């Protein structure tokens, strides 16, 4: 159970990173938009930080994507 949850968290983090990179956005840009440090944002993409649903909605909005695209875990690469 824990392994699957860990996989899903890493997959969501990877989806966020992949979407950010596809838009050519930097971690610094997203961090500034979220009013957090680049280091704190990096931890989100690495799956080290638990994020709230509110934060996930903010990230989806900045990345101009549907939340469902970020939380898909089928065919996703774990970070």
């Amino acid at each position: 159970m824990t392994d699957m949850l860990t996989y899903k968290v890493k997959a969501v983090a990877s989806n966020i990173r992949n979407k950010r990179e596809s838009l050519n956005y930097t971690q610094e840009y997203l961090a500034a938009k979220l009013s957090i440090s680049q280091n704190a944002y990096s931890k989100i993409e690495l799956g080290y930080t638990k994020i709230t649903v509110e934060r996930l909605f903010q990230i989806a909005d900045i990345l101009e994507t549907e939340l469902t695209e970020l939380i898909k875990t089928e065919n996703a690469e774990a970070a």
Side-chain angles (χ1 to χ4, degrees):
M1 176 72 171
T2 320
D3 290 340
M4 184 53 111
L5 183 58
T6 300
Y7 169 79
K8 288 180 178 183
V9 169
K10 296 285 188 185
V12 170
S14 180
N15 289 343
I16 292 170
R17 183 187 70 244
N18 291 337
K19 182 63 179 174
R20 176 185 59 77
E21 289 175 345
S22 76
L23 294 170
N24 292 318
Y25 290 168
T26 64
Q27 285 188 347
E28 291 83 2
Y29 174 76
L30 257 80
K33 290 290 221 177
L34 294 168
S35 300
I36 60 175
S37 71
Q38 184 274 325
N39 189 45
Y41 179 78
S42 176
K43 289 179 181 178
I44 291 172
E45 284 193 3
L46 292 170
Y48 296 162
T49 300
K50 291 182 181 179
I51 57 175
T52 63
V53 174
E54 180 181 359
R55 178 72 78 202
L56 202 51
F57 274 110
Q58 290 173 331
I59 292 170
D61 187 49
I62 295 165
L63 295 176
E64 303 168 6
T65 191
E66 294 295 321
L67 179 65
T68 54
E69 291 300 311
L70 298 181
I71 61 173
K72 277 186 186 176
T73 57
E74 311 83 44
N75 304 323
E77 301 172 17

